[in-house]
Amino acid sequence: MTTKVLIYGGSGGIGSSLSRLLHSQGYNIHIVGRNEIKLSALAAELDCGYTCGNVTDKSLFNRVSQDSGDTLSGLVYAVGTINLRSIARLTEEDFLHDFRVNALGAALAVQAALPALKKSQVISSIVLFSSVAVTQGFSFHTSVSMAKGAVHGLTLALAAELAPKVRVNAIAPSLTQTPLAEGIIRNDQIASNLAAQHPLERLGTPEDISAMAAFLISPEAGWITGQIFGVDGGRSTLHK
């Protein structure tokens, strides 16, 4: 039985953590990323296939489909941006770039992988990534919240359209300690202040997020679809 999972953002903080976790659980994986040095090193470590490219290049998705094989049991699109600026400083290019990377890229990844997902002998699973910022209304998050809000809508629409053969869910993390977030949390005092805004009083780790993603990919989540899961230290629902 094929249990191959395709992971976009495989060389990133969350994507690499998830790749290692799924590999340890016996899954075959194929990773996609734009940093060929990191990507090839991880592929060698896990003895898996990989495709290097940028999700803003629409030709990438067909290449990935050719490289990853004709049957998939899962797809994870762990790709994102953190573009924090006031509305006055955002350009049209900012908005378009964030939308392409976060939302359009997710839709095109699903579109290209769908024939392989439908060939799975088990119900296949798609995991996308939203953000706690979509529901919380943070200042300076206009562009990323718009883009991730589109992912929220995409998740629900796909879950309805692809049931019962394919499950579709999303994870909405809060600030997580990944290379993508280094520009925000490299200052210890700022990182400490941000951690204190979470009821659990710490920032997320890649392992926190990848554990949820691995569960949603697994058969144990077989009756879960159309959901947005806040893995956020309580920030989206609790106020101290």
Side-chain angles (χ1 to χ4, degrees):
M1 181 180 296
T2 299
T3 54
K4 179 179 282 188
V5 179
L6 172 59
I7 303 175
Y8 282 83
S11 59
I14 293 171
S16 61
S17 173
L18 177 61
S19 297
R20 291 185 173 98
L21 178 57
L22 290 179
H23 180 263
S24 73
Q25 294 175 348
Y27 287 87
N28 297 317
I29 59 173
H30 186 94
I31 55 178
V32 183
R34 60 180 180 174
N35 186 323
E36 185 151 18
I37 294 175
K38 290 183 177 180
L39 200 65
S40 61
L42 182 60
E45 174 190 335
L46 303 181
D47 191 25
C48 70
Y50 75 94
T51 306
C52 187
N54 194 311
V55 297
T56 61
D57 175 7
K58 63 182 181 180
S59 70
L60 170 68
F61 304 101
N62 286 334
R63 287 199 290 115
V64 170
S65 293
Q66 293 170 1
D67 293 347
S68 59
D70 62 357
T71 306
L72 293 170
S73 58
L75 165 66
V76 180
Y77 190 81
V79 179
T81 57
I82 301 180
N83 182 12
L84 307 185
R85 300 183 188 181
S86 68
I87 183 67
R89 294 183 57 221
L90 287 166
T91 66
E92 179 179 354
E93 288 71 24
D94 289 325
F95 287 115
L96 290 174
H97 177 73
D98 287 337
F99 183 81
R100 286 191 182 103
V101 171
N102 292 281
L104 181 58
L108 294 177
V110 171
Q111 188 179 61
L114 194 55
L117 290 165
K118 287 184 174 180
K119 288 182 180 178
S120 174
Q121 296 177 2
V122 297
I123 296 175
S124 52
S125 174
I126 295 171
V127 179
L128 306 179
F129 276 81
S130 182
S131 167
V132 66
V134 172
T135 58
Q136 291 304 291
F138 299 144
S139 296
F140 307 114
H141 283 66
T142 301
S143 186
V144 69
S145 291
M146 284 178 60
K148 290 299 191 183
V151 175
H152 189 131
L154 176 65
T155 301
L156 300 184
L158 288 175
E161 180 176 340
L162 302 182
K165 184 62 177 174
V166 182
R167 298 185 297 106
V168 187
N169 297 285
I171 298 171
S174 188
L175 188 61
T176 305
Q177 299 176 73
T178 65
L180 185 64
E182 284 179 352
I184 301 173
I185 60 176
R186 66 163 58 99
N187 180 292
D188 289 344
Q189 185 59 55
I190 292 175
S192 178
N193 291 341
L194 289 169
Q197 295 175 18
H198 298 74
L200 293 183
E201 296 185 348
R202 68 173 176 85
L203 300 179
T205 67
E207 291 72 26
D208 291 324
I209 314 303
S210 61
M212 174 59 84
F215 169 68
L216 291 174
I217 286 292
S218 75
E220 283 75 17
W223 209 45
I224 300 174
T225 194
Q227 305 301 312
I228 313 293
F229 290 92
V231 184
D232 57 17
R235 195 173 190 191
S236 63
T237 54
L238 305 178
H239 303 279
K240 295 178 67 177

